[in-house]
Amino acid sequence: MDAKKTGEAIRKLRNRIGYTQRDLAATLGVTDKAVSKWERGLSVPDIAIITELSLVLNCDVDNLLEGNITFLEKSWQGLLVLKENPNHIFSGTLIYGKPMVYFLLSYFMLAGVRHINILCPERDKKFIRECIADGSEYGLSVNFIGDLSELKRGNTMVVYDEPFLYGSNLTKYFQRAMSKENKISALTVYKGKGGNKCCADFNNLKVLRLNDEGNCYCIPICFVPVNRFEDLNCVFNYETLVERNQLYAEPMGNGMIEYSIKTKEDVFQTAFFIRYLENMMGYKIYEIAEIAKNRNLI
């Protein structure tokens, strides 16, 4: 760890959320002199508060300590694509008291992406408007588009196929994928019983190859930098990018759970899983109001 890089990252992230050194110190229960020392590289935050600091600054712990905040140098928009489901599962389907759209929006929020474009059927559009309006209550800007041609050119985080993703430190993997230059990146998880069944492996350069015998699954969450915007359509069909050796893996660690919510059984199993987690941990997960507050989106 380079204390100067960490300090510079803290300073930039603090300014990004509009905090003074005194504001940050008061939030964390430390002195403003301590914050000043961090930012000058004279000391580093104590391990007892580093997790809280990362939440306040909306940056995962590893990237913060490494001083890796290159994702800040680029602005990102979100693209959420929803389709008609033959089993009548849609954005308003309740999963342990939360509409499914909460889970999907949470991924953008955890990545620090505020402007979200949604391409969806009319039923979803009506529900989302009734549920969150324009998203401003949660620090978001939600816009509906009729097709991809209406999407403004820019760095784009794409979520599709209704994934449920749970594991530790999602922000780290999102922000690392956002830091890659000139590469379309897809999140991957180690192969298990779940997954969306898009099997793959990758070489030492993290170039993805679709392979039925591969040791990972591709998750339908990917990151398209602006200079690859013309290839955005291809993320919905990985084969084209794979054939060109132009799709890169952002491997997530062990313990990640991912699958697409497509059936009533998926809804039931997800609700049971969330109920168990919340009862065991004593707090709620994927509550977008809490995420917005904890991540300084509002």
Side-chain angles (χ1 to χ4, degrees):
M1 178 177 64
D2 186 322
K4 287 192 177 296
K5 284 186 177 180
T6 302
E8 181 65 9
I10 292 172
R11 183 186 67 80
K12 287 182 178 180
L13 290 165
R14 173 179 61 77
N15 287 331
R16 186 190 189 203
I17 63 174
Y19 274 26
T20 64
Q21 289 184 344
R22 183 170 294 180
D23 293 333
L24 184 58
T27 300
L28 298 172
V30 299
T31 65
D32 51 353
K33 289 183 179 179
V35 175
S36 176
K37 285 185 176 181
W38 299 341
E39 294 187 357
R40 288 181 289 154
L42 301 179
S43 66
V44 294
D46 188 270
I47 193 170
I49 63 170
I50 192 66
T51 298
E52 184 179 359
L53 175 62
S54 69
L55 287 173
V56 172
L57 298 178
N58 201 16
C59 179
D60 86 279
V61 172
D62 288 351
N63 283 337
L64 180 60
L65 293 179
E66 292 169 8
N68 175 23
I69 55 171
T70 54
F71 62 90
L72 284 180
E73 297 170 3
K74 302 178 288 185
S75 61
W76 283 78
Q77 64 181 341
L79 171 62
L80 173 60
V81 178
L82 304 171
K83 293 184 177 180
E84 293 284 0
N85 179 288
N87 298 304
H88 307 292
I89 308 300
F90 81 118
S91 58
T93 297
L94 291 179
I95 304 176
Y96 197 55
K98 305 177 185 73
M100 187 169 67
V101 70
Y102 277 19
F103 300 92
L104 304 175
L105 293 176
S106 293
Y107 307 140
F108 297 107
M109 297 169 76
L110 292 172
V113 175
R114 293 172 178 253
H115 182 70
I116 303 169
N117 301 280
I118 303 179
L119 176 59
C120 64
E122 192 62 34
R123 181 188 186 191
D124 293 279
K125 184 187 297 185
K126 180 180 179 182
F127 174 81
I128 294 170
R129 280 178 169 161
E130 291 175 351
C131 180
I132 64 169
D134 62 355
S136 58
E137 180 181 352
Y138 307 104
L140 304 175
S141 172
V142 172
N143 175 57
F144 292 94
I145 58 175
D147 57 61
L148 291 180
S149 67
E150 297 177 27
L151 193 66
K152 293 182 180 178
R153 180 182 174 86
N155 301 298
T156 307
M157 175 182 177
V158 184
V159 176
Y160 66 100
D161 210 31
E162 294 77 47
F164 174 76
L165 178 61
Y166 182 81
S168 63
N169 219 347
L170 296 180
T171 296
K172 173 175 72 174
Y173 301 110
F174 293 162
Q175 292 179 346
R176 285 188 174 179
M178 294 162 76
S179 299
K180 291 184 178 179
E181 295 288 344
N182 307 320
K183 296 177 180 179
I184 298 178
S185 301
L187 297 178
T188 65
V189 293
Y190 289 112
K191 201 170 182 178
K193 292 183 178 180
N196 63 2
K197 305 306 180 186
C198 182
C199 300
D201 60 18
F202 49 87
N203 61 21
N204 59 348
L205 297 177
K206 295 186 179 178
V207 178
L208 267 168
R209 300 171 294 197
L210 299 186
N211 178 0
D212 289 340
E213 304 301 320
N215 61 1
C216 67
Y217 288 131
C218 292
I219 298 174
I221 299 177
C222 58
F223 300 83
V224 181
V226 62
N227 56 3
R228 298 298 307 279
F229 187 77
E230 288 73 15
D231 294 316
L232 187 141
N233 263 313
C234 297
V235 303
F236 305 105
N237 186 356
Y238 285 156
E239 284 82 356
T240 301
L241 291 172
V242 170
E243 287 173 2
R244 300 179 193 163
N245 292 321
Q246 292 180 339
L247 183 63
Y248 293 79
E250 182 55 50
M252 305 183 80
N254 288 318
M256 295 291 174
I257 295 173
E258 184 275 330
Y259 53 88
S260 292
I261 300 176
K262 296 291 190 183
T263 68
K264 291 182 180 179
E265 179 65 16
D266 294 333
V267 172
F268 173 79
Q269 294 288 357
T270 306
F272 182 83
F273 176 69
I274 292 172
R275 176 178 178 273
Y276 177 79
L277 283 178
E278 292 187 349
N279 286 341
M280 292 297 292
M281 295 187 299
Y283 62 86
K284 296 186 178 298
I285 62 174
Y286 287 122
E287 289 283 353
I288 59 174
E290 286 298 310
I291 294 174
K293 179 181 177 182
N294 292 337
R295 298 306 177 103
N296 278 297
L297 299 178
I298 53 175

